Amino acid sequence: MEQVVLLAEDGSAIGVEDKAVVHHADTPLHLAFSSYVFDSAGRIVLTRRALHKKTFPGVWTNTCCGHPLPDEDMAQAVLRRLQDELGMKCSEPELLLPRFRYRAEMDGVVENEMCPVFRVLCDDEPTPNPDEVDSTERVAWAEFSDAVLNGTREISPWAKLQIAELVKLGPDPLQWPVADRAGLPSAVRLGSPLQ
């Protein structure tokens, strides 16, 4: 049974819970991540969540989200989920938003996460796992982010909040600065070679 790391308000680990039962109307704060995969042309890979997912089914979102396993390095968790969900073998994730946190609700199911955000560079073509991903799309970042922020493109609530922060890093996602890991929740394990 896959488990997620439960968190205190200060970002420290306070236990684990089975992933299958952690999301409900009163979801406890837990550790997650979001990743944004860009190709060498600066286009983002977007995914539409599988229609049978318990949380936010059929919703378009960033490339991949997930939960590190207890004691798992977060960069390795990002790469694991990209491989599992999209069949993509990618380069080392780069930390962009160490302090991102959100709470979102859909149909009585709540997401409540401390969720660092990573950029991943990869030109692999996604091959979606139908258990996780309904479909994918590759789109220019400027076009996509503008549409999300002006309300003409529907996207998951966490991605909308993340995009509002990411655009502050500059117009070219390939040139965004890597963040200082000092801002990460203390429960995050993140070894080298990440900067």
Side-chain angles (χ1 to χ4, degrees):
M1 179 67 69
E2 189 174 335
Q3 293 185 312
V4 300
V5 178
L6 302 180
L7 300 175
E9 284 296 321
D10 66 359
S12 61
I14 57 171
V16 297
E17 180 65 83
D18 290 345
K19 179 183 172 186
V21 300
V22 78
H23 296 98
H24 45 71
D26 192 27
T27 301
L29 183 63
H30 60 280
L31 188 59
F33 62 81
S34 286
S35 63
Y36 287 71
V37 170
F38 293 95
D39 64 18
S40 53
R43 297 178 302 168
I44 184 175
V45 175
L46 303 175
T47 58
R48 184 175 186 230
R49 293 168 62 83
L51 300 178
H52 58 268
K53 296 279 278 185
K54 181 178 178 181
T55 57
F56 297 87
V59 172
W60 281 95
T61 192
N62 56 292
T63 313
C64 181
C65 298
H67 306 88
L69 302 172
D71 299 321
E72 183 180 25
D73 181 273
M74 190 168 273
Q76 293 307 308
V78 171
L79 296 176
R80 173 178 57 83
R81 293 307 299 158
L82 286 169
Q83 175 70 38
D84 292 350
E85 293 190 15
L86 295 163
M88 300 178 83
K89 294 181 180 176
C90 300
S91 64
E92 194 70 23
E94 298 171 304
L95 181 63
L96 296 174
L97 302 175
R99 294 180 177 88
F100 183 77
R101 178 183 176 169
Y102 79 100
R103 186 181 185 281
E105 182 178 348
M106 182 180 190
D107 299 329
V109 178
V110 172
E111 287 281 10
N112 184 20
E113 299 176 337
M114 287 188 183
C115 183
V117 177
F118 294 83
R119 168 183 54 204
V120 182
L121 305 179
C122 189
D123 283 318
D124 280 8
E125 202 54 43
T127 53
N129 173 347
D131 290 338
E132 300 288 343
V133 176
D134 174 74
S135 51
T136 66
E137 179 183 356
R138 204 180 288 265
V139 62
W141 172 254
E143 170 192 332
F144 166 68
S145 58
D146 287 351
V148 168
L149 296 179
N150 71 25
T152 58
R153 171 117 196 195
E154 289 295 318
I155 198 77
S156 68
W158 60 89
K160 185 171 184 176
L161 293 169
Q162 291 164 355
I163 291 159
E165 294 301 312
L166 291 171
V167 296
K168 297 175 185 176
L169 301 178
D172 181 356
L174 303 184
Q175 298 300 316
W176 289 339
V178 175
D180 185 339
R181 60 174 74 193
L184 286 167
S186 63
V188 172
R189 294 175 183 268
L190 191 59
S192 56
L194 271 174
Q195 300 302 314

